[in-house]
Amino acid sequence: MKKVMFIAALMLAALPTEAQQVKYTINGISKDNGKTVSLIDRRTNQPVNTATVADGKFSMSGNADKDALMAIGIRENPWATIFFNDGTPMTINLNDSTLKGSPLNERLTRYDVEINAPYGNYMMKVQSMSEEEREKKKVELAGGLMIAVMKMMTGVEKVFKEECETLIPVAFIDEYQQVLGQEKFDSVIATKPAWINHPIAKSQVEYFAQQKAQEAKKNAYVGKQFTDLEEADADGKMHKLSEYVGKGKWVLVDFWASWCGPCMQEMPNVVAAYEKYHAKGFDVVGLSFDNKKEPWLKAIADKNLSWIHLSDLKGWKTAASEVYGVNSIPDNLLIDPQGKIVARGLRAQGLQNKLKEIFGE
């Protein structure tokens, strides 16, 4: 979770623009009678229009920037159907996330459903299980989650390959960069794809450039010996990082917090790595950015994080932030048995690949 969320993008969004306005006309279907349907501009995340479902139908019309990326859905429902405001009238079925309109928007909605289906279906399966069953199968479930995420990313890569001459990749920029990495994203930008001048793309590229500069500062630690620090464990007893690092094991120093959604999403991946490689000499030290003890300990218990945990409960003012220049989480350091930092920011398949390189299968 970013310490500063898209400040540059929001500033750009606030500037006056002379973008061409075109009319949108939406006729919709929904089973949620009486519920409010909201239309959101994805660039500003601000509501553009609303309608109420009556007799299974709703409609709305108005003007918005040409080719603005929009999202429409029931307020209480986390899923929304996305489309570009290209002026073509649309019929949207919120029950099955289908859209009839321009060929571009029809392809976009199909891609969106296809990309999100593996993760969504997997989480429905997990949520249908009892807590006892989830506990019994936690390693298997962590592996299944990784497979679902990788299927999602295969879908995103497909979009960027097949739709490079359309606007569709704009809808998936964040997913592409975050999981596949800045280097791969930069290689796509270098081809000057057709979508690069879309306002969202411009804002994101600017944000990623700033993020890249921050990452360069962070990566300056790689190749150096770790710096010691001292924080308390769950019982309030003080411990130095040097008690666990540089003692003959490979150690992942994991920067996280119970309130950080992306951290919680990444935890099954860390758990899977710990379960697979701990017996081979791999350990984890969690350095929390929490500022309250109760949610910190609850997250440790709920997620079955059975490694060493330390925190000074100072939030972003924690010693770990100052010593290692941490300005966003999740983040981590992989430290070799002699105490040298060999990698930083290993997430998802990147962490698994690095550990496989070190320990083998």
Side-chain angles (χ1 to χ4, degrees):
M1 182 174 289
K2 305 296 183 294
K3 186 177 181 181
V4 180
M5 296 291 289
F6 290 95
I7 290 178
L10 291 176
M11 288 175 64
L12 285 171
L15 292 175
T17 129
E18 298 180 3
Q20 178 185 350
Q21 296 274 298
V22 298
K23 184 177 181 178
Y24 59 83
T25 303
I26 302 169
N27 291 301
I29 300 169
S30 172
K31 66 181 184 301
D32 294 309
N33 286 318
K35 295 292 182 69
T36 299
V37 179
S38 295
L39 179 65
I40 305 294
D41 186 322
R42 287 286 295 270
R43 183 188 179 200
T44 63
N45 285 323
Q46 295 299 311
V48 174
N49 206 339
T50 60
T52 302
V53 181
D55 298 325
K57 298 179 180 180
F58 66 92
S59 63
M60 62 175 70
S61 63
N63 295 308
D65 290 350
K66 185 180 186 305
D67 293 328
L69 180 61
M70 317 289 277
I72 188 167
I74 302 295
R75 281 182 178 175
E76 297 84 357
N77 192 330
W79 178 263
T81 299
I82 56 177
F83 63 89
F84 289 101
N85 184 34
D86 58 11
T88 303
M90 290 168 287
T91 299
I92 297 175
N93 188 335
L94 295 183
N95 298 327
D96 60 10
S97 303
T98 56
L99 178 152
K100 292 183 179 180
S102 68
L104 177 79
N105 279 327
E106 290 182 5
R107 292 202 311 279
L108 170 61
T109 53
R110 287 197 297 269
Y111 278 125
D112 197 30
V113 171
E114 178 184 321
I115 286 168
N116 285 281
Y119 180 80
N121 293 338
Y122 186 76
M123 291 311 296
M124 287 178 62
K125 173 185 174 182
V126 173
Q127 290 166 5
S128 69
M129 300 168 64
S130 67
E131 187 174 340
E132 181 179 359
E133 190 176 5
R134 287 198 293 267
E135 169 62 23
K136 185 181 296 184
K137 297 182 177 180
K138 63 180 182 180
V139 176
E140 177 186 335
L141 291 176
L145 178 61
M146 289 305 303
I147 291 172
V149 170
M150 293 312 296
K151 286 181 178 178
M152 288 178 64
M153 296 324 301
T154 298
V156 172
E157 284 193 286
K158 178 182 177 183
V159 167
F160 276 73
K161 181 179 180 180
E162 296 182 354
E163 298 288 347
C164 61
E165 296 304 319
T166 76
L167 292 178
I168 289 177
V170 169
F172 306 101
I173 287 177
D174 201 40
E175 290 89 343
Y176 190 95
Q177 190 272 346
Q178 284 193 11
V179 179
L180 294 172
Q182 185 67 44
E183 184 176 347
K184 199 159 189 177
F185 183 74
D186 287 343
S187 68
V188 171
I189 296 299
T191 67
K192 297 182 179 180
W195 48 266
I196 195 62
N197 289 319
H198 189 278
I200 286 180
K202 287 183 177 180
S203 296
Q204 291 285 63
V205 169
E206 173 67 21
Y207 170 74
F208 292 148
Q210 294 181 359
Q211 187 182 50
K212 187 176 181 180
Q214 291 179 346
E215 290 301 314
K217 291 181 180 179
K218 289 182 179 182
N219 288 333
Y221 291 88
V222 175
K224 298 180 180 179
Q225 200 72 5
F226 82 97
T227 300
D228 207 1
L229 55 81
E230 188 174 33
E231 294 186 1
D233 64 15
D235 297 320
K237 183 179 178 182
M238 299 301 293
H239 291 273
K240 290 185 176 182
L241 190 59
S242 55
E243 294 177 39
Y244 315 105
V245 175
K247 302 295 184 181
K249 289 187 175 182
W250 287 87
V251 179
L252 185 76
V253 177
D254 190 34
F255 306 116
W256 71 291
S258 65
W259 46 259
C260 167
C263 299
M264 294 298 96
Q265 292 171 13
E266 176 66 11
M267 278 307 176
N269 183 50
V270 182
V271 170
Y274 183 79
E275 294 282 351
K276 186 172 184 178
Y277 296 109
H278 180 59
K280 296 183 178 183
F282 174 65
D283 216 337
V284 180
V285 176
L287 297 183
S288 169
F289 280 56
D290 279 276
N291 50 25
K292 293 182 180 179
K293 188 172 184 178
E294 292 74 15
W296 172 44
L297 298 185
K298 185 176 186 301
I300 293 171
D302 289 350
K303 295 291 183 178
N304 297 299
L305 312 181
S306 54
W307 48 79
I308 301 146
H309 291 277
L310 304 175
S311 181
D312 52 19
L313 299 176
K314 293 181 179 180
W316 286 107
K317 295 182 180 179
T318 179
S321 177
E322 181 178 350
V323 171
Y324 289 107
V326 182
N327 55 22
S328 66
I329 52 176
D331 193 4
N332 56 51
L333 305 171
L334 183 63
I335 303 178
D336 74 9
Q338 290 72 47
K340 184 173 74 173
I341 300 169
V342 298
R344 183 165 191 167
L346 295 171
R347 295 175 63 182
Q349 194 61 36
L351 175 61
Q352 301 295 333
N353 290 343
K354 187 64 177 179
L355 294 178
K356 181 180 178 181
E357 176 187 317
I358 294 168
F359 295 107
E361 292 289 351

